[in-house]
Amino acid sequence: MSSASGEESAHVVVRRAVTSDVRAIRELVRPLAERRVLVAKDAVAYFESLQQFRVAVVDDVVVGCGALHVMWEDLAEVRTLAVSPEHLGHGVGSVLLAALLDDARDLGIGRVFCLTFETAFFGRHGFEVIEGRAVDPEVYAELLRSYDEGVAEFLDLERVKPNTLGNTRMLRTL
């Protein structure tokens, strides 16, 4: 597999995404968005958040992607973690997640959140189901000011519940 720095071992390389990867990222996400597993986004949203993304590459083909979105001083979210069907079960998602967690550590982030149907996968990587409020009241009040839907999902706000039915909020402390 690969390290977070992009070093190659075996045949998977994880690296920061570049603009030419956006089309491939969208193709990885499209079937998952159609099944409402991931959130559908316009192309412009991927370009605007490109610096948050890492991609997994095999033989010069993007086979996986994932993003780390900073939410607060010590909190970030893993978003848009997707792997091509042909590469599922081969560790690509694990390598991508490890790279994103390394990015969180590099940024000084102490806790990483995800909203997922893949509870077994994230559980194997140290994530635990969030019970109740995961931040203190002052931070909660500040996060309420965000327009970001991921923040609303983290806060478990009623307005996002119709879009997150069946998803589980999980958190890992680094």
Side-chain angles (χ1 to χ4, degrees), residues 29 34 117 127:
V29 171
E34 288 171 356
F117 291 104
F127 284 75

Side-chain angles (χ1 to χ4, degrees), residues 28-146:
L28 285 168
V29 171
R30 185 183 46 74
L32 298 169
E34 288 171 356
R35 293 190 351 243
R36 297 183 56 113
V37 172
L38 291 178
V39 176
K41 298 177 189 170
D42 294 322
V44 68
Y46 289 105
F47 285 108
E48 289 174 342
S49 62
L50 188 65
Q51 68 280 4
Q52 300 175 7
F53 274 86
R54 290 212 174 247
V55 292
V57 180
V58 174
D59 298 328
D60 297 323
V61 176
V62 173
V63 299
C65 64
L68 182 77
H69 178 78
V70 176
M71 297 169 67
W72 195 251
E73 179 180 16
D74 70 337
L75 182 66
E77 178 185 7
V78 170
R79 292 183 172 179
T80 320
L81 189 61
V83 175
S84 69
E86 304 81 30
H87 291 86
L88 285 174
H90 293 96
V92 174
S94 294
V95 173
L96 275 165
L97 181 58
L100 296 171
L101 295 176
D102 285 346
D103 289 346
R105 286 182 195 94
D106 290 347
L107 291 168
I109 302 295
R111 299 178 306 154
V112 179
F113 156 77
C114 68
L115 182 71
T116 186
F117 291 104
E118 301 295 333
T119 56
F121 171 81
F122 282 97
R124 284 192 306 274
H125 293 282
F127 284 75
E128 297 178 351
V129 174
I130 296 173
E131 300 293 343
R133 206 178 275 177
V135 293
D136 63 43
E138 294 82 23
V139 173
Y140 184 89
E142 287 293 327
L143 289 175
L144 281 174
R145 299 174 190 216
S146 175

Side-chain angles (χ1 to χ4, degrees), residues 148-163:
D148 187 277
E149 287 300 304
V151 173
E153 292 162 349
F154 172 75
L155 297 176
D156 203 27
L157 300 180
E158 287 297 322
R159 69 179 172 82
V160 296
K161 294 221 188 261
N163 299 323

Side-chain angles (χ1 to χ4, degrees), residues 2-7 14-16 54 95 98-100 102-103 106:
S2 167
S3 75
S5 64
E7 296 174 77
V14 174
R15 63 167 170 75
R16 293 213 172 273
R54 290 212 174 247
V95 173
L100 296 171
D102 285 346
D103 289 346
D106 290 347

